[in-house]
Amino acid sequence: MFDHFDLVDEEGRPLRQPSEASIALIEGFRKTALPTFAVMDGALFSDLPKSLEERKISSRSLFLDHPDAEIARAAALFIPIENETTLTKLLSVPKAENAVVFWSSSAGEDKLFRHLRGINVILIPDDESILNEENDTELSPLVPRDQSVLFRHYDPNVIEATLPLLTTEQFVRLMGPCDQIMWFSLEKGARRRALRPENDVVVPRGPLRLTDEQIEELEFNRKASAQSRRVNYLRVVEPDRTRLMSDTELYRFSATEVSNGESLGLRSERSLTLWVYLQLHSDGKIGRDPGLRGYLQSFPEDGTPDDKIYLLMTRLSALPASTKL
């Protein structure tokens, strides 16, 4: 069924074999009669515009033009999927299947493009409130205010986490002229899609706004998903050390070490996962080393604590086996 993956592209380069996610997305595309557009996060790739250009795939940035080439390369890209061949080429970009959201719309390319640009930013409640300007005294009631934040509608993990929390009105505002959203869920291991409601729903004016409760639930779900991925990773890379640990014990160990890593300044999911791995692999020796803890919190010339944990992993991997932890 997917023999075309064994062929070469126009430049003679072999297209890589399809992953389970790629196959699922191609099957989903075949079932979609509407014009479909891929949206991808350039920040997840070394040079996504170049990869698309090499495959002769056209794209437009969903961000404003920026003179800095590195920043421009990290922009979210809007990509018309003209046919299955275009989709096949797109999915030949390494890891593309896990970093793409497909938006299908009968309203036309330009209208959908403008809509997606319009939801790049959404509103969330600000932690601070302001005094009522009409009576600016200490006794005046506080007026809640919002802050604008980037909304990564081009990240399948964000779409997966956000959609279940939205009200019907919020969901319709998110969809705009879009009839269907499709993505591959790493957590579920399956293709997912969301359809615009058939009944008429009044679309709220103004930007999409999430409530305090929705933000809290998003953060809770994000941490739970990250923890689940982290535990699965540990079982794969350290089968001998985790074999005798129950899921509860491994979850507890991971949660404790994530907290320890955060206290040292680690922030990204990847760096926290590496910290937990190092702690497990070294039986806790890494965390008890005052020199290493001091290094993570000092020496700004080596970058952030996240940068330093990657540097540490690189150095450890270069050591002779007899000297490794």
Side-chain angles (χ1 to χ4, degrees), residues 8-9 11 38 54 56 61 64 106 115 131 145 200 211 220 284 289 310:
V8 296
D9 63 18
E11 302 301 323
E54 289 175 345
K56 294 183 171 56
S61 174
L64 297 176
S106 57
H115 169 70
L131 289 173
R145 64 179 178 185
D200 292 332
T211 66
F220 176 84
D289 185 335
Y310 305 146

PDB file of all heavy atoms in Angstrom, residues 8-9 11 38 54 56 61 64 106 115 131 145 200 211 220 284 289 310:
ATOM      1  N   VAL A   8      12.436   7.170  -4.987  1.00  0.00           N
ATOM      2  CA  VAL A   8      13.274   8.339  -4.720  1.00  0.00           C
ATOM      3  C   VAL A   8      12.497   9.582  -5.121  1.00  0.00           C
ATOM      4  O   VAL A   8      11.524   9.527  -5.877  1.00  0.00           O
ATOM      5  CB  VAL A   8      14.602   8.256  -5.510  1.00  0.00           C
ATOM      6  CG1 VAL A   8      15.410   7.067  -5.042  1.00  0.00           C
ATOM      7  CG2 VAL A   8      14.342   8.168  -7.004  1.00  0.00           C
ATOM      8  N   ASP A   9      12.932  10.725  -4.582  1.00  0.00           N
ATOM      9  CA  ASP A   9      12.272  11.972  -4.953  1.00  0.00           C
ATOM     10  C   ASP A   9      12.856  12.486  -6.265  1.00  0.00           C
ATOM     11  O   ASP A   9      13.653  11.828  -6.920  1.00  0.00           O
ATOM     12  CB  ASP A   9      12.400  13.008  -3.832  1.00  0.00           C
ATOM     13  CG  ASP A   9      13.846  13.394  -3.549  1.00  0.00           C
ATOM     14  OD1 ASP A   9      14.713  13.129  -4.413  1.00  0.00           O
ATOM     15  OD2 ASP A   9      14.097  13.959  -2.473  1.00  0.00           O
ATOM     16  N   GLU A  11      15.079  14.540  -6.870  1.00  0.00           N
ATOM     17  CA  GLU A  11      16.528  14.715  -6.864  1.00  0.00           C
ATOM     18  C   GLU A  11      17.272  13.390  -6.705  1.00  0.00           C
ATOM     19  O   GLU A  11      18.495  13.374  -6.569  1.00  0.00           O
ATOM     20  CB  GLU A  11      16.925  15.667  -5.730  1.00  0.00           C
ATOM     21  CG  GLU A  11      16.267  17.035  -5.807  1.00  0.00           C
ATOM     22  CD  GLU A  11      16.608  17.750  -7.106  1.00  0.00           C
ATOM     23  OE1 GLU A  11      17.759  17.597  -7.559  1.00  0.00           O
ATOM     24  OE2 GLU A  11      15.730  18.441  -7.662  1.00  0.00           O
ATOM     25  N   ALA A  38      -0.729  21.610   6.321  1.00  0.00           N
ATOM     26  CA  ALA A  38       0.077  21.215   7.471  1.00  0.00           C
ATOM     27  C   ALA A  38       0.645  22.458   8.134  1.00  0.00           C
ATOM     28  O   ALA A  38       0.999  23.425   7.464  1.00  0.00           O
ATOM     29  CB  ALA A  38       1.205  20.294   7.026  1.00  0.00           C
ATOM     30  N   GLU A  54      14.313  21.644  -0.193  1.00  0.00           N
ATOM     31  CA  GLU A  54      14.985  20.518  -0.858  1.00  0.00           C
ATOM     32  C   GLU A  54      13.974  19.541  -1.447  1.00  0.00           C
ATOM     33  O   GLU A  54      14.263  18.874  -2.453  1.00  0.00           O
ATOM     34  CB  GLU A  54      15.876  19.792   0.142  1.00  0.00           C
ATOM     35  CG  GLU A  54      17.119  20.562   0.546  1.00  0.00           C
ATOM     36  CD  GLU A  54      17.911  19.853   1.631  1.00  0.00           C
ATOM     37  OE1 GLU A  54      17.356  18.924   2.271  1.00  0.00           O
ATOM     38  OE2 GLU A  54      19.071  20.230   1.848  1.00  0.00           O
ATOM     39  N   LYS A  56      11.082  20.492  -2.555  1.00  0.00           N
ATOM     40  CA  LYS A  56      10.219  21.285  -3.441  1.00  0.00           C
ATOM     41  C   LYS A  56       8.801  21.401  -2.884  1.00  0.00           C
ATOM     42  O   LYS A  56       7.802  21.260  -3.608  1.00  0.00           O
ATOM     43  CB  LYS A  56      10.210  20.696  -4.854  1.00  0.00           C
ATOM     44  CG  LYS A  56      11.560  20.790  -5.562  1.00  0.00           C
ATOM     45  CD  LYS A  56      11.483  20.255  -6.987  1.00  0.00           C
ATOM     46  CE  LYS A  56      12.764  20.565  -7.753  1.00  0.00           C
ATOM     47  NZ  LYS A  56      13.979  20.071  -7.107  1.00  0.00           N
ATOM     48  N   SER A  61       5.481  31.452   6.320  1.00  0.00           N
ATOM     49  CA  SER A  61       5.640  31.616   7.757  1.00  0.00           C
ATOM     50  C   SER A  61       4.368  32.171   8.369  1.00  0.00           C
ATOM     51  O   SER A  61       3.739  33.080   7.817  1.00  0.00           O
ATOM     52  CB  SER A  61       6.807  32.551   8.062  1.00  0.00           C
ATOM     53  OG  SER A  61       6.873  32.809   9.455  1.00  0.00           O
ATOM     54  N   LEU A  64       5.525  37.010  11.796  1.00  0.00           N
ATOM     55  CA  LEU A  64       5.966  38.187  11.069  1.00  0.00           C
ATOM     56  C   LEU A  64       7.414  37.996  10.629  1.00  0.00           C
ATOM     57  O   LEU A  64       8.198  37.301  11.283  1.00  0.00           O
ATOM     58  CB  LEU A  64       5.839  39.429  11.956  1.00  0.00           C
ATOM     59  CG  LEU A  64       4.415  39.803  12.400  1.00  0.00           C
ATOM     60  CD1 LEU A  64       4.463  40.998  13.345  1.00  0.00           C
ATOM     61  CD2 LEU A  64       3.528  40.097  11.201  1.00  0.00           C
ATOM     62  N   SER A 106     -12.753  24.124   3.917  1.00  0.00           N
ATOM     63  CA  SER A 106     -13.370  24.391   2.617  1.00  0.00           C
ATOM     64  C   SER A 106     -13.427  25.885   2.331  1.00  0.00           C
ATOM     65  O   SER A 106     -13.887  26.305   1.274  1.00  0.00           O
ATOM     66  CB  SER A 106     -14.793  23.812   2.597  1.00  0.00           C
ATOM     67  OG  SER A 106     -15.570  24.369   3.660  1.00  0.00           O
ATOM     68  N   HIS A 115      -6.594  33.085   9.690  1.00  0.00           N
ATOM     69  CA  HIS A 115      -7.125  32.624  10.973  1.00  0.00           C
ATOM     70  C   HIS A 115      -6.014  32.058  11.852  1.00  0.00           C
ATOM     71  O   HIS A 115      -5.934  32.399  13.048  1.00  0.00           O
ATOM     72  CB  HIS A 115      -8.193  31.553  10.749  1.00  0.00           C
ATOM     73  CG  HIS A 115      -8.591  30.851  12.008  1.00  0.00           C
ATOM     74  ND1 HIS A 115      -9.311  31.464  13.012  1.00  0.00           N
ATOM     75  CD2 HIS A 115      -8.329  29.580  12.451  1.00  0.00           C
ATOM     76  CE1 HIS A 115      -9.496  30.603  14.006  1.00  0.00           C
ATOM     77  NE2 HIS A 115      -8.906  29.462  13.692  1.00  0.00           N
ATOM     78  N   LEU A 131      -6.022  48.051  39.921  1.00  0.00           N
ATOM     79  CA  LEU A 131      -7.078  48.782  40.603  1.00  0.00           C
ATOM     80  C   LEU A 131      -8.042  49.359  39.598  1.00  0.00           C
ATOM     81  O   LEU A 131      -7.688  49.720  38.475  1.00  0.00           O
ATOM     82  CB  LEU A 131      -6.471  49.915  41.444  1.00  0.00           C
ATOM     83  CG  LEU A 131      -5.688  49.488  42.695  1.00  0.00           C
ATOM     84  CD1 LEU A 131      -5.012  50.701  43.302  1.00  0.00           C
ATOM     85  CD2 LEU A 131      -6.616  48.844  43.705  1.00  0.00           C
ATOM     86  N   ARG A 145      -6.990  41.210  34.871  1.00  0.00           N
ATOM     87  CA  ARG A 145      -6.478  41.564  33.557  1.00  0.00           C
ATOM     88  C   ARG A 145      -5.842  40.341  32.921  1.00  0.00           C
ATOM     89  O   ARG A 145      -5.500  39.375  33.604  1.00  0.00           O
ATOM     90  CB  ARG A 145      -5.478  42.712  33.642  1.00  0.00           C
ATOM     91  CG  ARG A 145      -4.207  42.406  34.417  1.00  0.00           C
ATOM     92  CD  ARG A 145      -3.286  43.613  34.409  1.00  0.00           C
ATOM     93  NE  ARG A 145      -2.073  43.392  35.176  1.00  0.00           N
ATOM     94  CZ  ARG A 145      -1.161  44.325  35.401  1.00  0.00           C
ATOM     95  NH1 ARG A 145      -1.330  45.531  34.910  1.00  0.00           N
ATOM     96  NH2 ARG A 145      -0.078  44.048  36.107  1.00  0.00           N
ATOM     97  N   ASP A 200     -25.184  25.304  14.584  1.00  0.00           N
ATOM     98  CA  ASP A 200     -24.705  26.679  14.587  1.00  0.00           C
ATOM     99  C   ASP A 200     -24.329  27.111  16.002  1.00  0.00           C
ATOM    100  O   ASP A 200     -25.123  26.997  16.940  1.00  0.00           O
ATOM    101  CB  ASP A 200     -25.782  27.623  14.040  1.00  0.00           C
ATOM    102  CG  ASP A 200     -26.025  27.380  12.552  1.00  0.00           C
ATOM    103  OD1 ASP A 200     -25.072  26.938  11.886  1.00  0.00           O
ATOM    104  OD2 ASP A 200     -27.153  27.616  12.088  1.00  0.00           O
ATOM    105  N   THR A 211      -9.380  30.173  30.820  1.00  0.00           N
ATOM    106  CA  THR A 211      -9.629  30.565  32.202  1.00  0.00           C
ATOM    107  C   THR A 211      -8.515  30.055  33.121  1.00  0.00           C
ATOM    108  O   THR A 211      -7.694  29.224  32.736  1.00  0.00           O
ATOM    109  CB  THR A 211     -10.968  29.995  32.694  1.00  0.00           C
ATOM    110  OG1 THR A 211     -10.865  28.548  32.733  1.00  0.00           O
ATOM    111  CG2 THR A 211     -12.108  30.384  31.759  1.00  0.00           C
ATOM    112  N   PHE A 220      -1.334  20.659  34.915  1.00  0.00           N
ATOM    113  CA  PHE A 220      -1.377  19.349  35.569  1.00  0.00           C
ATOM    114  C   PHE A 220      -1.233  18.232  34.539  1.00  0.00           C
ATOM    115  O   PHE A 220      -0.452  17.289  34.731  1.00  0.00           O
ATOM    116  CB  PHE A 220      -2.684  19.196  36.342  1.00  0.00           C
ATOM    117  CG  PHE A 220      -2.863  17.837  36.973  1.00  0.00           C
ATOM    118  CD1 PHE A 220      -2.295  17.547  38.202  1.00  0.00           C
ATOM    119  CD2 PHE A 220      -3.586  16.836  36.320  1.00  0.00           C
ATOM    120  CE1 PHE A 220      -2.435  16.296  38.777  1.00  0.00           C
ATOM    121  CE2 PHE A 220      -3.733  15.579  36.882  1.00  0.00           C
ATOM    122  CZ  PHE A 220      -3.165  15.310  38.120  1.00  0.00           C
ATOM    123  N   GLY A 284      22.426   7.812  42.282  1.00  0.00           N
ATOM    124  CA  GLY A 284      22.339   9.041  43.057  1.00  0.00           C
ATOM    125  C   GLY A 284      23.649   9.764  43.263  1.00  0.00           C
ATOM    126  O   GLY A 284      23.682  10.827  43.910  1.00  0.00           O
ATOM    127  N   ASP A 289      27.176  14.994  44.349  1.00  0.00           N
ATOM    128  CA  ASP A 289      28.468  15.597  44.040  1.00  0.00           C
ATOM    129  C   ASP A 289      28.359  17.115  44.153  1.00  0.00           C
ATOM    130  O   ASP A 289      27.736  17.764  43.307  1.00  0.00           O
ATOM    131  CB  ASP A 289      28.886  15.203  42.621  1.00  0.00           C
ATOM    132  CG  ASP A 289      30.288  15.679  42.255  1.00  0.00           C
ATOM    133  OD1 ASP A 289      30.750  16.669  42.854  1.00  0.00           O
ATOM    134  OD2 ASP A 289      30.912  15.060  41.378  1.00  0.00           O
ATOM    135  N   TYR A 310      23.280  18.954  29.087  1.00  0.00           N
ATOM    136  CA  TYR A 310      23.562  18.346  27.784  1.00  0.00           C
ATOM    137  C   TYR A 310      25.069  18.205  27.600  1.00  0.00           C
ATOM    138  O   TYR A 310      25.549  17.179  27.093  1.00  0.00           O
ATOM    139  CB  TYR A 310      22.987  19.200  26.642  1.00  0.00           C
ATOM    140  CG  TYR A 310      21.521  19.501  26.759  1.00  0.00           C
ATOM    141  CD1 TYR A 310      21.004  20.717  26.309  1.00  0.00           C
ATOM    142  CD2 TYR A 310      20.636  18.582  27.312  1.00  0.00           C
ATOM    143  CE1 TYR A 310      19.659  21.009  26.408  1.00  0.00           C
ATOM    144  CE2 TYR A 310      19.288  18.871  27.420  1.00  0.00           C
ATOM    145  CZ  TYR A 310      18.805  20.091  26.973  1.00  0.00           C
ATOM    146  OH  TYR A 310      17.478  20.374  27.087  1.00  0.00           O
TER     147      TYR A 310
END
